[in-house]
């Protein structure tokens, strides 16, 4: 995209549509002019991590469509859904300021009309990690993302690496179902102390927030040790779990070394890998991950 085109996009007004028919009409007009479209699916409560997705989408395509839908099907606990932060007015301001052209903000009845009976299940990559701790979560994610991709039919859709298993799941689904959309992963945005941005961070008490960055420190130190082959993965991960425990994380759902492409469990970093963690701090569940790039030996 040229600088002039980006400027025009950033100055353009944010349009809002709430029905699939209106979304298709607007995206159809963009496509009719031969212009490319990127989609950024979100559940709102936007922070800098989402805005990095919007900026990435702007670099990739002429138009950026964001969706805002708090998807009830991907919450395994009703209290988590009820506590999910909502601020459509604030989200709209941030989207407009960052060059998003079109916001698709459907209601639940638009996405799941009475009689809705379909679920998209992606096997294998969804089974460990989050899948083992949040039953039904990835079927909810895959179902809503399949719908959003088919409703909008963008050229590109952008997802954060912060939810790495989600990214791999969506890439697998799009490949398996021949959905003609390129899926881009965008690096995690972090606070100065390393804590990954997340809408859940605002639930942390001041004291917990001060300790929360230890999760990233444990990830990076363990990833370095794994990449250098300093001991077995089992020993390095046990030390990492113990360190998280000392910082007050309890329980630790997992701290696991997995293959970067298909999330199979690894006992050493002898291929591109990912170190993933989920752990609770003062009642708030935090997840994060980093790449593990095997050192040349
Ligand atoms: O990552 C999220 O915010 C959600 O899981 C997504 C991809 C928007 C689907 O609801």
């Amino acid at each position: 995209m040229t600088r002039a085109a980006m400027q025009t996009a950033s100055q353009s007004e944010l349009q809002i549509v709430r029905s699939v028919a209106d979304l298709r009409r607007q995206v159809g007009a963009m496509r009719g002019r031969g212009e490319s479209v990127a989609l950024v699916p979100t559940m709102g409560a936007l922070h800098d991590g989402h805005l990095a997705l919007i900026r990435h989408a702007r670099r990739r395509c002429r138009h950026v469509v964001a969706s805002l839908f708090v998807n009830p099907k991907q919450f395994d606990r009703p209290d988590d859904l009820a506590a999910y932060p909502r601020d459509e007015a604030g989200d709209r301001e941030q989207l407009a300021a960052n060059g998003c052209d079109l916001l698709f903000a459907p209601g639940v009845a638009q996405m799941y009309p009475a009689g809705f009976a379909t679920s998209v299940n992606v096997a294998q990559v969804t089974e460990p990690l989050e899948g083992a701790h949040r039953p039904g979560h990835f079927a909810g994610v895959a179902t809503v993302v399949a719908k959003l991709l088919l409703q909008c039919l963008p050229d590109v859709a952008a997802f954060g690496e912060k939810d790495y298993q989600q990214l791999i799941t969506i890439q697998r689904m799009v490949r398996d179902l021949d959905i003609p959309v390129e899926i881009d992963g965008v690096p995690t945005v972090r606070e100065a102390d390393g804590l990954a941005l997340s809408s859940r961070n605002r639930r942390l008490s001041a004291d917990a927030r001060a300790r929360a960055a230890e999760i990233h420190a444990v990830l990076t130190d363990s990833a370095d040790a794994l990449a250098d082959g300093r001991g077995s993965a089992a020993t390095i991960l046990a030390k990492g779990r113990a360190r998280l425990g000392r910082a007050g994380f309890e329980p630790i759902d997992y701290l696991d070394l997995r293959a970067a492409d298909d999330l199979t469990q690894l006992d050493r970093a002898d291929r591109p890998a990912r170190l993933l963690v989920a752990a609770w701090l003062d009642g708030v569940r935090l997840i994060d991950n980093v790449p593990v790039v095997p050192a040349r030996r």
Side-chain angles (χ1 to χ4, degrees):
M1 203 172 174
T2 63
R3 182 187 286 271
M6 277 179 70
Q7 222 157 20
T8 313
S10 73
Q11 286 163 1
S12 64
E13 224 175 90
L14 177 72
Q15 305 225 36
I16 296 153
V17 290
R18 299 198 186 268
S19 72
V20 176
D22 285 344
L23 172 69
R24 289 204 166 124
R25 203 166 300 122
Q26 295 279 354
V27 173
M30 296 166 182
R31 292 203 163 285
R33 296 193 294 270
E35 294 164 354
S36 58
V37 177
L39 173 68
V40 179
T42 83
M43 297 206 298
L46 301 184
H47 51 62
D48 258 358
H50 298 105
L51 301 179
L53 299 181
I54 300 286
R55 289 191 289 270
H56 173 88
R58 277 189 61 200
R59 287 191 293 275
R60 292 283 271 125
C61 292
R62 170 69 179 82
H63 294 284
V64 178
V65 179
S67 63
L68 191 179
F69 179 63
V70 182
N71 175 31
K73 288 194 186 292
Q74 71 185 75
F75 287 82
D76 50 314
R77 295 190 358 242
D79 57 319
D80 207 20
L81 173 61
Y84 203 83
R86 293 165 201 250
D87 176 18
E88 186 182 311
D91 292 343
R92 278 156 57 165
E93 258 175 49
Q94 301 209 66
L95 289 170
N98 283 274
C100 177
D101 306 71
L102 182 63
L103 173 63
F104 175 46
V108 174
Q110 180 66 204
M111 290 300 273
Y112 302 122
F116 186 89
T118 300
S119 175
V120 178
N121 278 296
V122 182
Q124 295 165 349
V125 293
T126 60
E127 284 156 20
L129 308 167
E130 290 303 285
H133 288 272
R134 303 184 63 191
H137 170 67
F138 283 120
V141 170
T143 303
V144 81
V145 172
K147 281 175 69 74
L148 290 166
L149 294 178
L150 295 170
Q151 288 161 347
C152 181
L153 280 180
D155 299 279
V156 173
F159 296 85
E161 287 183 353
K162 158 87 171 28
D163 294 300
Y164 191 76
Q165 192 176 11
Q166 168 173 282
L167 172 64
I168 295 294
T169 300
I170 292 165
Q171 281 171 339
R172 180 65 59 91
M173 174 186 77
V174 161
R175 193 194 75 180
D176 288 355
L177 297 183
D178 304 309
I179 300 177
V181 177
E182 241 181 280
I183 302 298
D184 283 4
V186 177
T188 303
V189 179
R190 300 182 179 281
E191 302 280 7
D193 64 0
L195 181 66
L197 297 196
S198 163
S199 56
R200 283 167 198 268
N201 294 353
R202 60 179 84 172
R203 296 192 209 163
L204 293 167
S205 65
D207 170 57
R209 173 62 192 86
R211 285 178 287 135
E214 188 68 357
I215 201 166
H216 182 243
V218 167
L219 276 180
T220 49
D221 290 349
S222 308
D224 287 349
L226 288 161
D228 293 349
R230 274 183 256 143
S232 72
T235 309
I236 293 166
L237 297 179
K239 279 189 189 155
R241 285 187 203 105
R243 191 170 150 193
L244 284 173
R246 286 195 297 277
F249 286 86
E250 165 62 33
I252 297 158
D253 285 350
Y254 55 82
L255 173 66
D256 244 8
L257 181 67
R258 298 269 164 174
D261 53 356
D262 61 8
L263 300 180
T264 50
Q265 193 147 32
L266 299 180
D267 56 15
R268 69 177 60 126
D270 51 5
R271 55 195 265 209
R274 208 87 191 176
L275 182 61
L276 303 102
V277 66
W280 295 76
L281 185 62
D282 281 2
V284 182
R285 189 170 187 272
L286 299 177
I287 66 168
D288 200 354
N289 68 86
V290 293
V292 181
V293 184
R296 290 204 188 168
R297 285 193 277 274

